[in-house]
């Protein structure tokens, strides 16, 4: 039997709440991209937050772009010297460039982004247009009186 792994879809979507519960039991693949680590949180009924650990990146080295239903977060470190006469003996802090893409559900929009303490926060909100929201139709009682048509008789 062939196993279909939906976890990459699960790990990069926002706003597909029904899919989250269905895919919650699937194991994460071993070879998946793991840098930078991130969380996807539901902060309200129609609001979400993506938190990414981007330690060492400044706000001018990060870019966020939302196009159609894809949110792209890119990071590119600018090479700066450690100072004159210094030599880097060990690099334990990652400084590689990255690009993360998230598939957004219909009507999910980026509200804002902030960088605090090495964490990039991207706030999202689902805005369903009024014409797509369910609406209640009022039921009116029909009058029980039957309209009578009076016929004029010719004399």
């Amino acid at each position: 039997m062939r196993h279909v792994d939906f976890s990459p879809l699960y790990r990069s979507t926002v706003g597909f709440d029904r899919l989250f519960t269905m895919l919650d039991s699937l194991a994460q693949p071993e070879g998946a991209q793991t840098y930078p680590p991130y969380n996807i949180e539901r902060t309200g009924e129609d609001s979400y937050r993506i938190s990414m650990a981007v330690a060492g990146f400044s706000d001018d080295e990060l870019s966020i772009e939302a196009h159609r239903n894809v949110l792209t977060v890119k990071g590119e470190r600018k090479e700066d010297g450690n100072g004159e006469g210094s030599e880097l003996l060990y690099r334990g802090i990652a400084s590689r460039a990255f690009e993360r893409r998230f598939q957004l559900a219909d009507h999910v929009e980026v509200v804002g982004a902030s960088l605090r303490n090495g964490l990039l926060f991207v706030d999202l909100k689902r805005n369903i247009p009024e014409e797509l929201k369910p609406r209640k139709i009022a039921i009116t009682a029909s009058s029980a009186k039957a309209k009578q048509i009076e016929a004029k008789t010719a004399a």
Side-chain angles (χ1 to χ4, degrees):
M1 184 171 157
R2 209 173 198 169
H3 176 69
V4 178
D5 186 10
F6 291 108
S7 58
L9 174 65
Y10 170 74
R11 294 179 318 109
S12 63
T13 59
V14 175
F16 295 96
D17 298 330
R18 288 175 279 178
L19 287 178
F20 282 10
T21 56
M22 290 180 353
L23 299 172
D24 195 39
S25 62
L26 294 177
Q28 293 192 4
E30 296 297 320
Q33 181 185 9
T34 59
Y35 180 77
Y38 63 92
N39 293 335
I40 299 175
E41 312 167 53
R42 186 175 193 171
T43 57
E45 188 173 326
D46 287 327
S47 58
Y48 304 90
R49 173 177 275 178
I50 298 173
S51 306
M52 297 182 80
V54 292
F57 285 88
S58 64
D59 56 349
D60 62 330
E61 296 171 328
L62 296 169
S63 69
I64 302 170
E65 180 180 309
H67 182 65
R68 298 195 180 161
N69 287 0
V70 178
L71 173 69
T72 305
V73 180
K74 294 180 186 177
E76 248 184 280
R77 291 283 311 256
K78 296 176 183 167
E79 289 299 322
D80 52 356
N82 295 331
E84 289 187 35
S86 68
E87 180 182 350
L88 184 65
L89 299 176
Y90 172 74
R91 181 178 298 272
I93 299 173
S95 62
R96 62 183 179 254
F98 69 88
E99 181 175 329
R100 274 279 186 195
R101 294 179 186 260
F102 298 92
Q103 296 293 322
L104 302 178
D106 291 338
H107 313 295
V108 173
E109 301 169 354
V110 177
V111 176
S114 62
L115 182 64
R116 291 189 312 266
N117 300 326
L119 290 174
L120 175 67
F121 299 103
V122 181
D123 293 314
L124 307 164
K125 183 151 183 79
R126 182 179 12 208
N127 291 321
I128 301 174
E130 286 297 321
E131 61 269 6
L132 296 179
K133 289 183 180 178
R135 63 178 199 259
K136 187 166 182 136
I137 309 298
I139 301 172
T140 58
S142 60
S143 66
K145 298 179 183 178
K147 294 184 179 180
Q148 293 180 349
I149 300 175
E150 295 181 18
K152 293 185 179 181
T153 56

